[in-house]
Amino acid sequence: MDYFPIFMRLEGRSCLVVGGGGVALRKVSLLRKADARVTVVSPELCPQLEALAKQGAIEHVARDFQDDDVLDRVLVIAATDHQAVNQRVSALCMERSIPVNVVDQPDLCGFITPSMVDRSPLQVAISTGGSSPVLARLFRSRIESFIPAAYGGLAALVEGYRLQAKERIPDPELRRRFWERLLEGPVTELFLSGREDAAREALEQALEQGLDRRDTGGEVFLVGAGPGDPDLLTFRALRLMQLADVVVHDNLVSPAILELVRRDAEMIYAGKKRNQHTLPQEQINQLLVRLAKEGKRVLRLKGGDPFIFGRGGEEIDTLMQEGIPFQVVPGITAAAGCASFAGIPLTHRDYSQALVFATGHLRDGTIDLNWDMLAQPRQTVVFYMGLVGLPIICRELTAHGLPASTPAALVEQGTTQNQRVLVGTLETLPDIVQEHDVQPPTLIIVGEVVRLHERLQWFQPGTDHTTESLFSSRGQVEQQSAAPRVEASHE
Ligand code: SAH
């Protein structure tokens, strides 16, 4: 370990910044966040520092640096363009054991400043020992994405009860376990889902009951996993996936996404394949109830969004009746994911002012839909579960008034590395699809906006589009999604 990490208390203490430009400004802002008393030594100041000096927020000494300036400082930062000055500041501080940082010159530094994730009072500091600030920043954005913004508030809430907990549970080891159980469970969940008062209440109740409280209440998280690419999960989905004791998932959730679930969680497959229900819906509803009643945190993971052709409504209806706590986490629905990745804007000022999601699922060989409503100009219609019924869909739309030349597209395994987009018209698309060996899941988009695909297609499967390819598990995704999947047409 080349550097020893510490968090330093600077409130009301005297810090010196040498230099008055943009870099100095950044350092001053940081020091002010920590409520330090900041003196800036520089003949001139940039406008923002000038303004701070005018407000009295910093002290400005308008001249060149002098040796005495470092006296009685608890921390010094040099941010000038003058090498000689930077060296002088560094040497003086080193002699006097004053922590000193010279911006971008590790050799002259007594300390370096980390990359930070600031959810005060929760803070994460990252350092690569000065070897690669860019890598530190990449890690920072990575960590940033794992720590919901609300964690800061949670830390503040807990802080308010620390003394009380100490009195109530004097044994430090027992106290640690108490906090662990509390923060892994309901208090965090309530807080992060925006129910601050309920979180406070749960915390107070737990304190009241001390450590003897048996935590029996399970809960259900109904979570949308998006259309396939793990990068398209929400932060909340990911967090709950890593918290769950048991996961009930269907076949639309890709293996790459299941990889991200907590390692020791029990996995239950409740998938639905066409004409082959693994578990009837009523049984799934009852399964969720039973698992929650056993005190488990149950993750019900669904492809896309749970409330769009996902039967999420029925599942939470049962939970509601049984008085089981739950929350619903939206996901990117197939229409949004496929449209984005196919370069087909679902609405467009010139072509389409309305958007309809419909199911193309066949019942007894027909599709029971309001075709007059669907066959309207200037709107886009997206069909889920429409592969088998595609010829019927095209025929009915034409019969109800849409021109046979209306553009239509089929997006196969949208957003994954196997995505293909087949484009035609209501007249030609069924034959085009016939000619290709199409693998589910597939989505059908009908409307003038489909024309834009030719111009706007940007996603090339097999190419990495994320900026953080360094960390992405895309290699894995590619491999896993290569296995053909089965149409989930019964949701
Ligand atoms: N709740 C899901 C939809 C479930 S219905 C959602 O919001 O997306 C299942 C249908 O969704 C499939 O038959 C298919 O039409 C569509 N679908 C889901 N993922 C898809 C994908 N990656 N590419 C194309 N279609 C997809």
Side-chain angles (χ1 to χ4, degrees):
M1 185 156 76
D2 291 336
Y3 291 87
F4 182 73
I6 56 169
F7 290 89
M8 205 168 164
R9 185 168 201 111
L10 290 182
E11 188 183 348
R13 309 189 70 190
S14 172
C15 299
L16 174 71
V17 175
V18 186
V23 181
L25 172 68
R26 282 209 301 279
K27 301 296 174 187
V28 167
S29 309
L30 215 54
L31 290 171
R32 290 191 62 236
K33 265 190 170 175
D35 291 329
R37 215 150 38 81
V38 184
T39 302
V40 177
V41 175
S42 172
E44 279 164 16
L45 294 183
C46 68
Q48 292 97 322
L49 281 175
E50 186 80 59
L52 286 175
K54 278 223 179 78
Q55 293 161 19
I58 58 173
E59 183 197 2
H60 179 207
V61 180
R63 56 158 168 73
D64 287 329
F65 171 76
Q66 294 174 1
D67 291 0
D68 282 358
D69 290 336
V70 302
L71 294 181
D72 298 325
R73 309 292 181 188
V74 293
L75 188 142
V76 173
I77 297 176
T80 79
D81 295 333
H82 304 289
Q83 184 61 4
V85 175
N86 287 345
Q87 273 171 348
R88 183 75 194 143
V89 173
S90 170
L92 285 166
C93 290
M94 297 284 192
E95 256 168 44
R96 290 168 176 73
S97 302
I98 300 169
V100 61
N101 178 273
V102 180
V103 176
D104 283 340
Q105 295 194 44
D107 297 351
L108 299 181
C109 287
F111 74 92
I112 53 176
T113 47
S115 241
M116 270 195 311
V117 178
D118 186 6
R119 305 274 197 274
S120 285
L122 175 78
Q123 281 180 298
V124 183
I126 303 139
S127 159
T128 56
S131 60
S132 172
V134 173
L135 192 64
R137 275 204 295 279
L138 276 178
F139 269 111
R140 191 193 71 175
S141 62
R142 211 41 199 172
I143 291 171
E144 192 103 45
S145 69
F146 278 111
I147 306 177
Y151 263 113
L154 179 63
L157 172 73
V158 168
E159 195 176 27
Y161 289 89
R162 268 184 59 193
L163 279 180
Q164 217 173 316
K166 210 167 173 175
E167 276 167 22
R168 186 94 183 87
I169 312 168
D171 181 280
E173 177 59 18
L174 281 182
R175 198 163 61 240
R176 186 181 59 77
R177 289 219 318 263
F178 168 80
W179 281 122
E180 241 171 42
R181 219 170 60 190
L182 210 67
L183 291 175
E184 269 184 358
V187 170
T188 301
E189 275 328 303
L190 287 169
F191 193 91
L192 295 185
S193 60
R195 286 171 283 174
E196 199 169 321
D197 288 344
R200 185 180 293 279
E201 224 167 83
L203 205 161
E204 283 174 0
Q205 212 178 0
L207 268 174
E208 188 83 0
Q209 289 162 341
L211 198 66
D212 301 332
R213 191 180 82 106
R214 279 192 53 79
D215 190 3
T216 48
E219 55 190 321
V220 175
F221 314 129
L222 176 61
V223 174
D229 183 341
D231 265 6
L232 296 177
L233 283 169
T234 60
F235 293 159
R236 187 172 292 180
L238 188 59
R239 190 166 48 75
L240 296 178
M241 282 162 71
Q242 294 179 351
L243 195 73
D245 301 312
V246 47
V247 180
V248 182
H249 63 99
D250 61 32
N251 69 312
L252 262 186
V253 180
S254 70
I257 286 177
L258 292 179
E259 276 288 305
L260 300 173
V261 163
R262 207 179 97 192
R263 290 269 159 228
D264 47 354
E266 180 190 352
M267 306 294 284
I268 299 176
Y269 176 67
K272 299 174 190 168
K273 299 178 181 175
R274 201 179 140 65
N275 300 330
Q276 186 198 332
H277 281 216
T278 310
L279 279 181
Q281 188 62 47
E282 182 50 32
Q283 274 185 34
I284 296 179
N285 301 351
Q286 292 309 326
L287 175 70
L288 298 179
V289 169
R290 180 169 62 72
L291 291 169
K293 283 192 170 163
E294 285 168 12
K296 295 189 172 131
R297 282 173 297 201
V298 187
L299 179 81
R300 174 66 174 123
L301 197 57
K302 300 191 148 261
D305 181 274
F307 278 5
I308 297 179
F309 302 124
R311 304 191 70 166
E314 294 162 55
E315 291 176 12
I316 60 170
D317 206 357
T318 313
L319 297 173
M320 190 69 106
Q321 284 168 29
E322 298 280 342
I324 289 168
F326 64 84
Q327 58 172 299
V328 185
V329 181
I332 294 183
T333 189
C338 292
S340 294
F341 277 60
I344 302 176
L346 290 174
T347 65
H348 189 284
R349 274 165 66 106
D350 301 332
Y351 304 114
S352 167
Q353 285 79 36
L355 172 62
V356 182
F357 293 169
T359 164
H361 174 53
L362 290 180
R363 230 175 247 194
D364 309 324
T366 60
I367 306 174
D368 186 17
L369 287 172
N370 180 350
W371 294 107
D372 285 327
M373 183 266 285
L374 296 178
Q376 293 296 322
R378 308 182 69 77
Q379 75 176 5
T380 307
V381 186
V382 178
F383 290 92
Y384 288 68
M385 298 170 276
L387 182 58
V388 178
L390 178 63
I392 302 178
I393 290 169
C394 292
R395 201 177 60 223
E396 293 286 354
L397 288 175
T398 319
H400 286 80
L402 278 189
S405 59
T406 306
L410 178 133
V411 184
E412 173 187 11
Q413 300 193 13
T415 78
T416 75
Q417 292 303 316
N418 297 334
Q419 172 174 302
R420 272 198 304 182
V421 184
L422 303 177
V423 177
T425 62
L426 287 180
E427 189 174 5
T428 61
L429 190 63
D431 287 342
I432 295 174
V433 170
Q434 273 270 290
E435 286 159 18
H436 293 77
D437 176 27
V438 169
Q439 297 294 330
T442 63
L443 194 82
I444 296 154
I445 305 175
V446 179
E448 294 296 325
V449 287
V450 170
R451 287 188 202 288
L452 295 164
H453 165 75
E454 201 181 345
R455 235 181 36 238
L456 301 182
Q457 55 179 308
W458 58 271
F459 175 62
Q460 308 293 338
T463 329
D464 199 327
H465 291 268
T466 62
T467 46
E468 285 185 33
S469 54
L470 196 58
F471 300 105
S472 102
S473 56
R474 198 164 304 272
Q476 232 172 328
V477 180
E478 227 169 307
Q479 235 178 21
Q480 287 167 334
S481 60
R485 288 200 263 156
V486 188
E487 175 88 333
S489 72
H490 279 253
E491 288 263 42

